[in-house]
Amino acid sequence: MTYFTDFDKVQFEGKSSKNPFSFKHYNPSEVVFGKTMEEHLRFAVAYWHTFNANGTDPFGAGTMVRSWDKFDGLDRSKARVEANFEFMEKLNIPFYCFHDVDIAPEGATLQESFKNLDVIVAMLKDYQKSTGKKLLWNTANNFTNPRYVHGAATAANIDSYAYAAAQVKKGLEIGKELGAQNYVFWGGREGYESLINTDMKLEQDNLARFYQMAIDYANEIGFDAQFLIEPKPKEPTSHQYDFDAATTISFLQKYGLADKFKLNLEANHATLAGHTFEHEIRVAAINGMLGSLDANQGNMLLGWDTDEFPTDLYATTLTMYEVLKAGGLGRGGVNFDAKVRRSSFEMDDLALAHIAGMDSYAWGLKAAAKLIEEKVFDSVIEDKYATFNEGLGADVVAGKATLKDLEAYALTNPVPRNKSGRIENLRLRLSEVIFSV
Amino acid sequence: MTYFTDFDKVQFEGKSSKNPFSFKHYNPSEVVFGKTMEEHLRFAVAYWHTFNANGTDPFGAGTMVRSWDKFDGLDRSKARVEANFEFMEKLNIPFYCFHDVDIAPEGATLQESFKNLDVIVAMLKDYQKSTGKKLLWNTANNFTNPRYVHGAATAANIDSYAYAAAQVKKGLEIGKELGAQNYVFWGGREGYESLINTDMKLEQDNLARFYQMAIDYANEIGFDAQFLIEPKPKEPTSHQYDFDAATTISFLQKYGLADKFKLNLEANHATLAGHTFEHEIRVAAINGMLGSLDANQGNMLLGWDTDEFPTDLYATTLTMYEVLKAGGLGRGGVNFDAKVRRSSFEMDDLALAHIAGMDSYAWGLKAAAKLIEEKVFDSVIEDKYATFNEGLGADVVAGKATLKDLEAYALTNPVPRNKSGRIENLRLRLSEVIFSV
Amino acid sequence: MTYFTDFDKVQFEGKSSKNPFSFKHYNPSEVVFGKTMEEHLRFAVAYWHTFNANGTDPFGAGTMVRSWDKFDGLDRSKARVEANFEFMEKLNIPFYCFHDVDIAPEGATLQESFKNLDVIVAMLKDYQKSTGKKLLWNTANNFTNPRYVHGAATAANIDSYAYAAAQVKKGLEIGKELGAQNYVFWGGREGYESLINTDMKLEQDNLARFYQMAIDYANEIGFDAQFLIEPKPKEPTSHQYDFDAATTISFLQKYGLADKFKLNLEANHATLAGHTFEHEIRVAAINGMLGSLDANQGNMLLGWDTDEFPTDLYATTLTMYEVLKAGGLGRGGVNFDAKVRRSSFEMDDLALAHIAGMDSYAWGLKAAAKLIEEKVFDSVIEDKYATFNEGLGADVVAGKATLKDLEAYALTNPVPRNKSGRIENLRLRLSEVIFSV
Amino acid sequence: MTYFTDFDKVQFEGKSSKNPFSFKHYNPSEVVFGKTMEEHLRFAVAYWHTFNANGTDPFGAGTMVRSWDKFDGLDRSKARVEANFEFMEKLNIPFYCFHDVDIAPEGATLQESFKNLDVIVAMLKDYQKSTGKKLLWNTANNFTNPRYVHGAATAANIDSYAYAAAQVKKGLEIGKELGAQNYVFWGGREGYESLINTDMKLEQDNLARFYQMAIDYANEIGFDAQFLIEPKPKEPTSHQYDFDAATTISFLQKYGLADKFKLNLEANHATLAGHTFEHEIRVAAINGMLGSLDANQGNMLLGWDTDEFPTDLYATTLTMYEVLKAGGLGRGGVNFDAKVRRSSFEMDDLALAHIAGMDSYAWGLKAAAKLIEEKVFDSVIEDKYATFNEGLGADVVAGKATLKDLEAYALTNPVPRNKSGRIENLRLRLSEVIFSV
């Protein structure tokens, strides 16, 4: 059966195409900066936004028209699997990602939930084999169910904590079964509403123990995925423990977990934390923690996670610039943790939105490569920091200088060799480079 | 000579006093929670806001009427020293804090600047001896001078870096000379305006080297102050490296400096970073990094550092609650990094504002003590996390549980023992407790 | 049948009471500033938050335990009516407010929806008669249904526009039937997601026509309620047309509707728009537009509408200060547009939360009255603006001065008689007054 | 004498030019959408940012290297005049704008200040005549001087109010003398720090009287410039009365001034108020109040006015789209109320930054014209609202429908003809158009 009837396989047709169901920039086999676009970008469909979401918001009911909604229960879950692989095929997307509750209905008991999962996982495995599509990552939804009202891995009681652990254990088994390249933790309820009734230390200690148990079990079953933590500063909690990249790194370092995890960074989470996406990627990169990306964009005038499809070329260019500079995404990828707007409720909006995101990222990749190849930023940077390549500057970098050495130098009262940062000119150059690719 | 002619020594007169130049809550010798108020609070005057600021803002010239402004140059600096000790005496404030440039004019050369500092430091030392007042901390202003346009300890060139180092070296010597209890680093320019022309890794590596050199030199000269870093997320830079407590901790951990530093936390910096002040203190406390406080408050509708005197009793109460829970401030204190509003331009506003801050903190201290003694929050917390004291919960806490154990438990499908967080009721209780002290 | 079994009628027991199910400040018959508390405050229960909400948030399912949830469909609606009047009785709340969809289920057709409403409205009318409780206001929910995806009174098509009009027509009839004191419009979808696909002018023109038709119909049926518009800047839309008080006033002025409407102001909407609640009330008051209040509070670190019960005494005091200064709320009231936190899921949290809100508002009322009676702020204000009471200042106020007069005066180069704003001292005084009533 | 020695007259060289001191998009004589670029854009230099600013920020001293700083007092003012006209000539900018204090030093008395102004105004007039350059607008700086600590046209005392009036009177005379096309009011101190010590009603009444007096005097002297008010929500005050376009309009309507003023809108002020720049322009346009633009951009992660040169092509395109749709800027223009970054301290950064802004606006103009000509957005909009062109929809628009008519229609239960908003696809199209011109 076909779920997407309004468009055929979307092909690269180049910039001059007038066909909205074509790629104008994403050309999977085109080589950019030494690798094909497909190898660089490793696009993934987010199962939840694409196949589960219905357009609900806090003030409105669902608006989405979906061909699989004629089915119910496990049948609907199966229809979604079929739709997922059809969609990946038609959009030429190699990866997908899911939470446990996205793919199969929760049962009345944990046993029943597991049984439902087993049915669907077997089906996914078959489809993966027959289509060549892969699982970028899976995760457990430990935030929607009311049992997680006070947290999951930071739950206030052992019952909820244990339930979350059971979900993660199953998730690791599923990940192994499906050959997931990564396993993700997003702590939607791992935080607090108010400090006055929260034991932050106990909660964070328990969170660290939870992670350690997960690693131990993955080792035990031979599941060798890359483990990722996804920071977010708030929402639904008032404060989420994995606030941003730096906070998550401080947590991992404290508990001796820094070599076991990398980060799954999201653009809209970055801006909610007061950072650019580039910032979060740079922080992760220089700490050796860049794992994977949740590619979306927020609305800077709104204070919640809007998870829009990424279409701002400045953002996609600077994102891919950081990724290329960091040596690429490795086992990670570019997952569209993005939802079509509530007002984009037609089936073909799903395709148009993914095309918009993929073309914008491909465009950004090309522009980023050109920025590096033409040393647009690097030439300014090399010049700016040149005095650290020689003399006392080099001594500082080599760790051989002391305050006394530096004072002795300063007492000669040198005129500081500061140079203009040229930021206005660089920004115009950035526009020009984006334009020119 | 007298600088403050409009009021005499401010005394504790109790709640019923109608005298605006009296303390209604701050009673230094009153014992609260096992120590005198003076021992708990360790108030400090911020030299810069109190004796240097003139009410300038980005759109306006100075408005302040100050009796020391009839002097010039070094004479004005000397007058400020006299005014400082008169003010501390009249307000009964035991500590003060300063940047190098607050106390003495910068000279045409570094040598001249040092000479000016030496004159004033000698004078400060004499005054400290004769009055018993103490230096809570000193620091170097490595952000105002144009030479720091691209940073100081993260400067883009060795000339600025060396100059900053020389200032810090001198600052350590001054701290030793004056018996400073702490030495502070606030990295006002240690950050970036834009990532596109910034080498974040080099800058952070250099920052870590800078800190290490400072520690080495302090050891060399036998200056045993507590070293503090003061986080701030932005302003003047677009992004400051010491964004918040967690970010600063991650930096210190990465470079092996975590046991050499504690944090000097500021209320308004916390809110600019998207946190409550309580949050920052809690994070520092559970990481063993609580050093000292910059006590002020911001305006939550404004996006810049307003450094207002703290008068919100909810905030001062919850701040002191965290401090008491953490075991107190140790060698740190409560420094009023707060400035009178541009429209509060009279000399006696300085006194009224400090009284407002001191009474609000004393009031908060008393309320915090009562919250703890009556277990207002603790009784809810103990109840909430009770299941971690026994059985499988206790095993988790002891690090003896595995995912398998937890799954086995969850498969028995226990009903999670979540309890209402009672936050609305707790908030009313908080008001009642503040009221009742 | 009884729905609230855990507490009896909540009585005023005074500050010393230890009973959480008592009022410590709200004493309905106590006279403050010339009227009883009940007359000043005119508290109202928000039907939707109290009887319909289940604790859902964008990342979580409902958590609330509700005794009426054992019923279904129209039976559940009837149970909610009973629960509403029981709750009002037990909490001593004289008013309630609702949207059409809160009280009765939507049917498959508009006719069916109307029929359901008729059943419940008859029941409400009986209960009002037997209990003496009153309807503060009703409104139509023109935002939840997917038909309003592009707006209701600003819909992109006539079908949705007409449907919204029909709901409002029915709402006016219901309001008349139940003797509603006010009728409210909150334009949850009257705004836009993006300007690029929006005809703002047509939408606003249509909105004005919609309001005019509503007024015409109310006149036709003799429904003489006060009409209110409730501003909100955003959420669910990216931009809501009734952004804040001033924007709504500019709209009403433009379309000649300013004498037909007043404003229903909400605290959390104010802060989302970048204002204090006091500001919005003051703006409404000096424009003769103060109608009614939605009393809640937000979390200043979060960018969405949290609708928390109001417990910040600074806020409730300053709110009631503005209300008293404006001459009271007239036909309006204090409606708790507040929801218990998702983690406060027990039935008795509904009572505790309302008690917290009512006591906090009663406390604020008493403090506000004292601020006025003791001229705490007024004495500063009178002094500050004194020069406008005489001479040239009085001429300006009388509209008799010209630029030439003013220049002639200025050329005498008078020293401006600015006085310190004393804000730090005033803030301490505010704390003292709040915590002394 | 020459002030800008590092570059010659900047010429249009087209996109392929590698010369940083050339225009790649701004071709003054190129016809776009029926007019030349020069006629559309009417660029203006902001005197204060370009010739007065020195790079000071709240935490740092000036960094700028300026060739006119070798002069002092009135001589420096004269040098700035020369530099201004040299700069306009070299950058091919037809207009400039200033505050009184930008062009001449304040004297010890008002008389002296006026004398200084007279000297410079005569010089400006000569230069205008000899170069053909024009004054887009002038204004009075009624916010920097300490006398305006409590406001100017909303001052707390008649002395400051009169002084402000005298400055405005002189400003109107200067405007007339120099043939200014507009006269601007920006109320930097017309607002409040706290409501508790503010009489908002008196202040706003006085502000309205002030405006009326200014209009009367302009009429008296025959100065026929367009009067503009520039909204800003806050900074330096906590709340500025002219918060945004809608608020300013509500004020003007209330006091019967709406036909005497238009708006001078600024991009960065828009975002500080929680709006896009497009929004503010649209609001002004549909109210007939679009006057002129202050073209800059802010940093969405910072909460203060950064006044950066505009380089975001999405923003410039959507801005010019609104302008073209509104029928152009009339007597207004595009004034660069933008300052080079503190780190862009070289003289030639002034040129590079203006080039960046001018090219970005010219680029945006071309893209906007193409969006309109190709009906990229309009085709979606026409389709979306089509049902208002016929039948009941047309009746609504014609003001002929009633609630009863609409209910009768709704009772036929039509399926609402909502269409997908296609926002993701439209955004991709926007990128394609911008990067295709």
Side-chain angles (χ1 to χ4, degrees), chain D residues 264-327:
Chain D
N264 186 44
L265 298 168
E266 175 174 329
N268 203 159
H269 294 180
T271 52
L272 287 172
H275 309 304
T276 60
F277 198 22
E278 307 90 88
H279 171 86
E280 289 290 271
I281 300 173
R282 182 81 66 98
V283 168
I286 68 175
N287 282 280
M289 304 286 270
L290 178 58
S292 193
L293 302 184
D294 267 19
N296 58 22
Q297 69 186 19
N299 180 329
M300 297 298 286
L301 295 172
L302 302 181
W304 64 91
D305 203 14
T306 60
D307 282 351
E308 303 176 22
F309 274 87
T311 56
D312 183 308
L313 295 177
Y314 294 104
T316 60
T317 297
L318 293 176
T319 295
M320 291 312 300
Y321 183 82
E322 295 295 330
V323 167
L324 292 182
K325 280 283 187 178

Side-chain angles (χ1 to χ4, degrees), chain A residues 108-111 114 146-150 154-163 165-166 168-170 172-173 192-204 206 209-210 213-214 217 220 234 239 243-244 246-247 249-251 253-254 273-276 278-279 282-283 286-287 318 322 377 380-381 384-388 392-393 396-399 401-404 406-407 409-423 426-427 430, chain B residues 108-111 114 146-150 154-163 165-166 168-170 172-173 192-204 206 209-210 213-214 217 220 234 239 243-244 246-247 249-251 253-254 273-276 278-279 282-283 286-287 318 322 377 380-381 384-388 392-393 396-399 401-404 406-407 409-423 426-427 430:
Chain A
T109 62
L110 184 53
Q111 287 84 343
F114 283 177
R147 77 171 58 84
Y148 300 128
V149 64
H150 292 308
T154 62
N157 65 72
I158 185 63
D159 315 305
S160 304
Y161 188 89
Y163 207 98
V168 168
K169 177 171 173 291
K170 186 70 178 175
L172 296 172
E173 292 159 2
Y192 60 81
E193 180 184 343
S194 171
L195 273 182
I196 66 179
N197 63 358
T198 301
D199 186 339
M200 188 198 275
K201 184 173 184 316
L202 175 64
E203 292 200 359
Q204 293 197 352
N206 282 349
R209 290 167 190 132
F210 194 96
M213 286 189 270
Y217 187 69
E220 185 179 331
K234 51 195 163 190
H239 191 99
F243 191 84
D244 59 7
T247 304
I249 291 169
S250 76
F251 173 88
Q253 286 171 336
K254 177 182 180 184
H275 310 304
T276 60
E278 307 90 86
H279 172 85
R282 182 82 64 99
V283 168
I286 68 176
N287 283 279
L318 293 176
E322 295 295 330
F377 302 152
V380 172
I381 286 176
K384 184 175 167 188
Y385 298 96
T387 64
F388 284 104
L392 184 58
V396 165
V397 170
T402 67
L403 282 200
K404 280 181 184 166
L406 291 160
E407 184 198 44
Y409 178 85
L411 283 168
T412 67
N413 292 291
V415 178
R417 284 164 284 177
N418 282 311
K419 286 171 186 167
S420 165
R422 294 280 185 242
I423 196 72
L426 276 180
R427 285 176 177 162
L430 174 59
Chain B
T109 63
L110 183 53
Q111 287 85 342
F114 283 177
R147 78 171 57 84
Y148 299 127
V149 64
H150 292 308
T154 62
N157 66 71
I158 186 64
D159 315 305
S160 304
Y161 188 89
Y163 208 98
V168 168
K169 178 171 173 291
K170 186 71 177 176
L172 296 172
E173 292 160 1
Y192 60 81
E193 179 184 345
S194 171
L195 272 182
I196 65 179
N197 63 358
T198 301
D199 186 340
M200 187 197 277
K201 185 175 183 315
L202 175 64
E203 292 199 359
Q204 293 198 352
N206 282 349
R209 289 167 190 132
F210 194 96
M213 286 189 270
Y217 187 69
E220 185 180 332
K234 51 194 162 192
H239 192 99
F243 191 84
D244 58 8
T247 304
I249 291 170
S250 77
F251 173 88
Q253 287 168 334
K254 177 181 180 184
H275 308 304
T276 60
E278 307 91 87
H279 171 85
R282 182 83 65 97
V283 168
I286 69 176
N287 282 280
L318 292 176
E322 294 296 330
F377 302 153
V380 172
I381 286 176
K384 185 175 166 189
Y385 298 96
T387 64
F388 285 104
L392 184 57
V396 166
V397 170
T402 67
L403 283 200
K404 280 181 186 165
L406 291 160
E407 183 197 45
Y409 178 85
L411 284 168
T412 66
N413 292 290
V415 178
R417 284 164 284 177
N418 282 310
K419 287 170 186 167
S420 165
R422 294 280 185 243
I423 197 72
L426 277 179
R427 286 176 177 162
L430 174 59

Side-chain angles (χ1 to χ4, degrees), chain C residues 159 203 220 385 404 409, chain D residues 150 159 203 220 385 404 409:
Chain C
D159 314 305
E203 294 199 356
E220 185 180 333
Y385 298 96
K404 280 182 186 166
Y409 178 86
Chain D
H150 293 309
D159 314 306
E203 293 199 358
E220 186 180 331
Y385 299 96
K404 280 180 185 166
Y409 178 85

Side-chain angles (χ1 to χ4, degrees), chain B residues 329-351:
Chain B
L329 288 171
R331 302 182 72 169
V334 173
N335 168 48
F336 288 110
D337 188 7
K339 58 185 175 197
V340 286
R341 300 299 83 197
R342 188 170 181 269
S343 54
S344 297
F345 46 76
E346 301 287 357
M347 285 288 281
D348 57 3
D349 285 309
L350 287 173

Side-chain angles (χ1 to χ4, degrees), chain B residues 350-364:
Chain B
L350 287 173
L352 292 172
H354 277 82
I355 292 168
M358 293 165 78
D359 259 359
S360 297
Y361 257 84
W363 195 332

Side-chain angles (χ1 to χ4, degrees), chain D residues 389-414:
Chain D
N389 294 328
E390 50 174 28
L392 184 58
D395 287 350
V396 165
V397 170
K400 294 189 298 193
T402 67
L403 282 201
K404 280 180 185 166
D405 300 333
L406 291 160
E407 184 198 45
Y409 178 85
L411 284 168
T412 67
N413 291 291

